[in-house]
Amino acid sequence: MDKVLETSEKISSMEIRGAGRIATAAAASLRDFSKAMQTESLEDFNLQMEKAADILLKTRPTAVSLSNAIRMVMKYRTEDLPSARLAVVLNANRFIENSEKALERIGQIGSRRIRDGDTVLTHCNSLAAISVISTAHKSGKKIKVIATESRPRFQGITTIGMLDKLGIETELIVDSAVRSVMNEVDLVVVGADVITANGTLVNKIGTAQIALCAHEARTSFMVAAETYKFSPRTILGELVTIEEREAKEVLPDISKYSHVRVRNPAFDVTPHQYIDLISTEVGAIPPEMSYMIIRERLGWEMEEDISD
Ligand code: RI2
């Protein structure tokens, strides 16, 4: 279990971060745990797998990618120990492989919306959004990217590093400069932590303000997301939990204040009315079609939840 705890700690502390990356890290961790587990009993195997899944699930509360990945890996047959072990390995490998393929496809589909000469604004650090941007660049379109810092964790610095390596012309701005530059922007592309049944987006704090600005300036707003970022449980009425992180991420020394409380929500909620399209591996869809994606791609999980 040590390795599972190690991965969990890395996810909680955000050493491993990004909705897709935490999902694949959790899948790989369950796979490796199942391979290394010393047991002769299927019952014990199941118990230990459940325990590991639970530890990983509790690391970050918002991104549905984590629970979708864990559920996909944990859906194994339990006839005998060797087949259970093998099924976990195959499920995890399939999830990781599909997730890599999805990123490529999202890039191909989403990049068609970027025209030669466009300026694209992105927020935080999303591999799905970067796939859209890098695919447009690789296809020969001359583009410029404006990246926000994304306080308090500065994921924007990771983004500019990635774009720089790809040779893409990039400008870094502070989060509050978004409105000042929006009139120069042709398209906003962001990732997703959760997309609900009605097409609402939950993504890095600041996304909703950017969407509002884009809407007011008539700038297109695209979400790039694998289908496992859609939340089946929202069909059943479940609300998305917004992670509140530690105050010290915002203000390292709060002890010198007596009447100040720091609030540090990690995500916010963007209504579907502000989203022009969602680029997924199965196509570019309007947010209103999210319900269909959940039914078609993640339907099995819904049935499971209903019977809970
Ligand atoms: P990909 C990140 O969350 C950001 O909110 C980003 O937009 C989203 O995950 C999706 O990232 P955090 O882990 O899966 O930085 O597209 O809190 O890489």
Side-chain angles (χ1 to χ4, degrees), residues 81-263:
L81 183 56
S83 64
R85 221 189 275 269
L86 181 66
V88 169
V89 173
L90 293 178
N91 286 352
N93 286 344
R94 190 181 313 119
F95 178 79
I96 295 166
E97 200 182 305
N98 285 345
S99 147
E100 280 162 15
K101 281 192 201 142
L103 274 182
E104 207 182 311
R105 192 90 188 109
I106 289 165
Q108 288 162 353
I109 293 171
S111 65
R112 294 208 169 124
R113 294 293 180 114
I114 299 180
R115 297 157 306 179
D116 193 30
D118 272 358
T119 295
V120 179
L121 185 140
T122 192
H123 183 53
C124 195
N125 174 255
S126 154
L127 290 188
I130 288 177
S131 177
V132 170
I133 293 166
S134 67
T135 309
H137 170 74
K138 284 178 194 151
S139 72
K141 291 173 189 165
K142 178 143 179 45
I143 56 170
K144 183 176 89 177
V145 177
I146 300 179
T148 56
E149 277 182 318
S150 314
R151 263 186 63 85
R153 298 293 299 235
F154 296 100
Q155 290 97 325
I157 305 302
T158 307
T159 295
I160 61 166
M162 288 180 173
L163 297 174
D164 189 55
K165 272 206 187 104
L166 291 163
I168 299 173
E169 194 192 326
T170 304
E171 288 174 356
L172 176 69
I173 57 167
V174 296
D175 299 323
S176 43
V178 165
R179 184 61 192 96
S180 298
V181 302
M182 191 53 86
N183 289 347
E184 303 164 26
V185 176
D186 300 289
L187 175 72
V188 175
V189 186
V190 296
D193 287 84
V194 187
I195 298 166
T196 72
N198 73 350
T200 298
L201 167 70
V202 179
N203 193 48
K204 184 53 54 196
I205 193 80
T207 303
Q209 280 179 190
I210 297 173
L212 193 59
C213 267
H215 184 73
E216 188 249 348
R218 307 280 184 272
T219 301
S220 297
F221 188 94
M222 182 203 293
V223 179
E226 300 88 333
T227 49
Y228 66 78
K229 309 268 178 70
F230 290 72
S231 170
R233 281 173 176 263
T234 57
I235 287 190
L236 306 175
E238 189 168 298
L239 294 171
V240 177
T241 305
I242 303 290
E243 178 180 10
E244 281 266 353
R245 294 189 60 87
E246 287 176 327
K248 68 175 185 215
E249 288 188 341
V250 179
L251 190 66
D253 185 14
I254 190 146
S255 62
K256 59 181 174 190
Y257 304 95
S258 317
H259 308 288
V260 177
R261 179 165 80 94
V262 170
R263 297 183 62 184

Side-chain angles (χ1 to χ4, degrees), residues 6-18:
E6 207 178 289
T7 304
S8 300
E9 176 47 36
K10 284 185 183 166
I11 296 174
S12 302
S13 67
M14 291 178 70
E15 188 181 328
I16 300 174
R17 54 144 297 280

